[in-house]
């Protein structure tokens, strides 16, 4: 009863029903399927479909293919697109290599619901490749690192992608300095690039990024958002931190990117 009362708000001359959580699209657009869900892709999709229904969260599967052969990638993706349609999922790819558009054909890419990319792999000042979610990388001076990170993120944001994943993530060594390193100027340059290129900004439950100040700045600039668990197998669909951040930052349903394709009901 108390819950019901909380959802009824007197507004002006009438009574309006407000349902805070359900107003957001309960969609996890950063789901990775693994063998822990099933030995074959068909089994993994089926198991994920059961989880999705139990949780009441729609899944967007982010396929990660590391093959350079276009024919093999196309064939694998077409297979996954069919499975996604059968199980009422959205389907996309997560791209890490910067020549990704050369390893799939346009016709197959056009059938995807989203293309997701993060900016967590780039060279340091000496040219050594860093994978910044792994600890003990040769990060160098924090300010130099940040300038390289922002420049790399701008490059990623200029590509024809749909979602910027793990935005503003910092390596564990630098995470305590998040507010100091993510200056207004750095945040603004990335937000402006995302808005200009129509790239949605993921609110990521796994790494708990971006922080509220960034989300509010991005909303004010007209950005769109998605929810992402970035989980592999266990934990997929856990977007609860993301939803609570959306609420905290005053986001509305129309601030979110939702893929256009209509999912079949089953
Ligand atoms: Zn991912």
């Amino acid at each position: 009863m108390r819950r019901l009362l909380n959802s009824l708000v007197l507004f002006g001359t009438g009574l309006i029903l407000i349902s805070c959580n359900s107003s957001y699209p309960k969609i996890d657009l950063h789901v990775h399927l693994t063998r822990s869900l099933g030995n074959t892709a068909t089994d993994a999709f089926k198991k994920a479909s059961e989880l999705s229904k139990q949780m009441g969260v729609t899944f967007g599967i982010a396929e990660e293919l590391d093959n350079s052969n276009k024919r093999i990638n196309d064939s694998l993706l077409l297979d996954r697109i069919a499975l996604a349609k059968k199980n009422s999922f959205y389907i996309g790819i997560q791209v890490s290599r910067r020549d990704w558009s050369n390893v799939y054909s346009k016709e197959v890419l056009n059938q995807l619901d989203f293309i997701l990319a993060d900016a967590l792999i780039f060279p340091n000042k000496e040219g050594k490749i860093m994978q910044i979610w792994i600890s003990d990388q040769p990060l160098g001076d924090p300010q130099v690192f940040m300038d390289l990170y922002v420049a790399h993120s701008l490059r990623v944001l200029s590509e024809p992608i749909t979602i910027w994943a793990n935005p503003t993530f910092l390596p564990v060594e630098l995470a305590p300095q998040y507010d100091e390193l993510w200056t207004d100027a750095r945040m603004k340059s990335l937000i402006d690039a995302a808005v200009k290129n129509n790239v949605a900004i993921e609110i990521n439950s796994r790494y708990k990024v971006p922080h509220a100040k960034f989300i509010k700045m991005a909303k004010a600039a007209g950005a769109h958002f998605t929810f992402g668990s970035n989980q592999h197998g266990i934990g997929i669909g856990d977007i609860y931190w993301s939803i609570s951040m959306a609420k905290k930052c005053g986001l509305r349903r129309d601030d979110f990117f939702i893929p256009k394709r209509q999912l079949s009901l089953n």
Side-chain angles (χ1 to χ4, degrees), residues 158-222:
S158 73
E159 294 173 3
I161 59 169
T162 328
I163 300 167
W164 173 26
N166 306 315
T168 75
F169 171 89
L170 284 180
V172 65
E173 297 90 338
L174 300 180
Q177 298 169 62
Y178 185 101
D179 293 335
E180 181 194 320
L181 294 173
W182 281 114
T183 60
D184 285 4
R186 284 176 178 144
M187 291 194 285
K188 188 178 181 313
S189 69
L190 298 185
I191 289 166
D192 287 350
V195 172
K196 187 174 161 230
N197 200 25
N198 206 16
V199 179
I201 297 171
E202 178 183 85
I203 304 175
N204 185 285
S205 280
R206 176 174 178 177
Y207 293 126
K208 298 186 170 48
V209 287
H211 288 193
K213 189 178 176 188
F214 185 96
I215 296 173
K216 287 178 186 168
M217 262 178 87
K219 176 179 163 62

Side-chain angles (χ1 to χ4, degrees), residues 30 32 62 64 94 116 118 166 230 232:
H30 195 158
H32 296 294
E64 290 181 293
Q94 176 163 3
L116 175 142
D118 65 27
N166 306 315
N230 187 13
H232 299 243

Side-chain angles (χ1 to χ4, degrees), residues 8 34 78 186 204 242:
L8 293 170
T34 62
L78 288 171
R186 284 176 178 144
N204 185 285
S242 309

Side-chain angles (χ1 to χ4, degrees), residues 91-186:
I91 180 85
I93 46 172
Q94 176 163 3
V95 294
S96 300
R97 53 195 288 169
R98 304 276 59 93
D99 63 344
W100 60 267
S101 60
N102 298 331
V103 297
Y104 305 95
S105 69
K106 271 219 162 54
E107 303 78 69
V108 174
L109 288 177
N110 286 342
Q111 294 180 49
L112 297 173
D113 298 306
F114 61 91
I115 295 169
L116 175 142
D118 65 27
L120 306 188
I121 305 174
F122 58 98
N124 69 5
K125 207 170 157 238
E126 283 75 42
K128 286 195 187 118
I129 296 291
M130 301 179 286
Q131 296 182 311
I132 68 169
W133 69 96
I134 298 170
S135 58
D136 293 330
Q137 300 285 294
L139 305 175
D141 173 75
Q143 294 300 334
V144 175
F145 168 85
M146 286 305 292
D147 289 342
L148 290 168
Y149 187 18
V150 169
H152 177 65
S153 302
L154 287 173
R155 182 181 171 192
V156 172
L157 287 167
S158 73
E159 294 173 3
I161 59 169
T162 328
I163 300 167
W164 173 26
N166 306 315
T168 75
F169 171 89
L170 284 180
V172 65
E173 297 90 338
L174 300 180
Q177 298 169 62
Y178 185 101
D179 293 335
E180 181 194 320
L181 294 173
W182 281 114
T183 60
D184 285 4
R186 284 176 178 144

